[in-house]
Amino acid sequence: MKRIFTISLLIVSTLGFSQDYNFKPKWNKGDVKQVTITQVEKEYKDGKLISDTTIYNEARVNVLKDNKDDYTLEILLENQALRAAIEFYDKLGEELKDYKDLKLIYSVNKETAEPELQNWEDAQKFMNNSFEQISSVLENKAPDAAPFIGMVFMPLKEIFKSKENIEAYMEDNIGYILTPFNKNFKVRETITKTETGENPFNPMQEISTTTLLTLESVNKEAKTCMIKQEVELDLTEFIEMMKGMMQNMAESFGANDSITAEKSKEMDEFEMDIENLQVITFDYQTTWVTKVVSTGIVSGTDPKKGIKTKKEIITTTEIK
């Protein structure tokens, strides 16, 4: 992701004075944090609930070293390849215990909180071996499922192709630990950062992404604060590209003018919207995030079918 610029949008304060907050990690060697993740995914069509799924995950964060300039963190995450494959053969976890957790080692700068993945090659090797071992077991124990596991693994294999991909994956999954640090916060004033990044619907295309970060409140008695993070994606170019593709397809098939006009009208009525919000509870005495509630909503309208669709994912993460 390439940074274009960072600006602070100052909202007029009626107080005339607002305290500055710039948090830095103040961890201790030996700190261990258990992370529980509950993800509830719901799909709607025309306002009617058609699916409701709950997924549970766990992780652990250990502070291995407290160095002069940085911390060394060990992050253990459930191996998502193994987790997915257990759906095809429920004894897989018992047979492949060595592949239960993915271990990632990060250094985190004490001043900037910038992370760097130290063992990406080991992580890549671990996952590649995991893919092979899982496939081998399924071929013997669940041969009917073996042909499908390759498709299940495709997104994960793409992630573990490079250091950059793994870091981006981790940013989405556990990056909230570092969100509060090295920002010049004032209560209810928003920090706005605009970047270019991958389009989630078309990784080959870059789009503009705007992140709005706000210190919503500070509880001085409890020494906690609440931080809100919203991410806005500019999908204008992508939607126009999709409309152009549909238009060209209609014309290439030799459709007459009335059909082409009808398809063009359908695409003009096509709508898509994404909402992405995180509410982070941060203990600024221990400098650990203690809770994150993430809400992601993708909604759209299919003019051809006349159906309004919505997919809602609410992820609650607790760190203790």
Side-chain angles (χ1 to χ4, degrees), residues 293-306:
V293 179
S294 302
T295 304
I297 300 173
V298 179
S299 55
T301 301
D302 184 339
K304 185 176 181 180
K305 297 179 180 179

Side-chain angles (χ1 to χ4, degrees), residues 40-137:
V40 179
E41 183 175 314
K42 296 181 180 182
E43 289 191 56
Y44 300 85
K45 282 188 178 179
D46 284 337
K48 183 180 179 181
L49 180 67
I50 60 169
S51 71
D52 187 346
T53 307
T54 301
I55 300 171
Y56 300 96
N57 269 296
E58 293 184 351
R60 190 168 78 233
V61 181
N62 302 333
V63 180
L64 297 182
K65 296 180 183 178
D66 180 354
N67 307 307
K68 179 183 176 183
D69 298 319
D70 58 43
Y71 297 98
T72 302
L73 298 187
E74 175 191 70
I75 299 174
L76 295 175
L77 290 171
E78 285 189 80
N79 181 347
Q80 296 303 303
L82 185 62
R83 184 185 179 93
I86 286 174
E87 296 293 325
F88 299 103
Y89 175 51
D90 59 7
K91 294 183 179 178
L92 192 63
E94 297 173 19
E95 297 187 24
L96 296 177
K97 291 180 181 178
D98 290 344
Y99 294 96
K100 180 179 182 294
D101 292 319
L102 169 66
K103 180 194 293 184
L104 296 172
I105 305 296
Y106 274 86
S107 63
V108 177
N109 186 281
K110 290 184 176 181
E111 185 63 27
T112 65
E114 285 295 323
E116 184 176 355
L117 180 60
Q118 302 292 320
N119 71 328
W120 74 272
E121 290 174 317
D122 291 337
Q124 183 185 67
K125 182 178 179 181
F126 172 88
M127 289 303 297
N128 287 337
N129 289 342
S130 175
F131 297 141
E132 291 176 9
Q133 291 297 320
I134 292 169
S135 298
S136 177
V137 172

Side-chain angles (χ1 to χ4, degrees), residues 125-158:
K125 182 178 179 181
F126 172 88
M127 289 303 297
N128 287 337
N129 289 342
S130 175
F131 297 141
E132 291 176 9
Q133 291 297 320
I134 292 169
S135 298
S136 177
V137 172
L138 289 182
E139 284 175 8
N140 293 318
K141 302 294 178 68
D144 291 343
F148 300 102
I149 202 65
M151 291 185 290
V152 174
F153 286 166
M154 279 180 63
L156 285 169
K157 285 183 175 180
E158 187 64 32

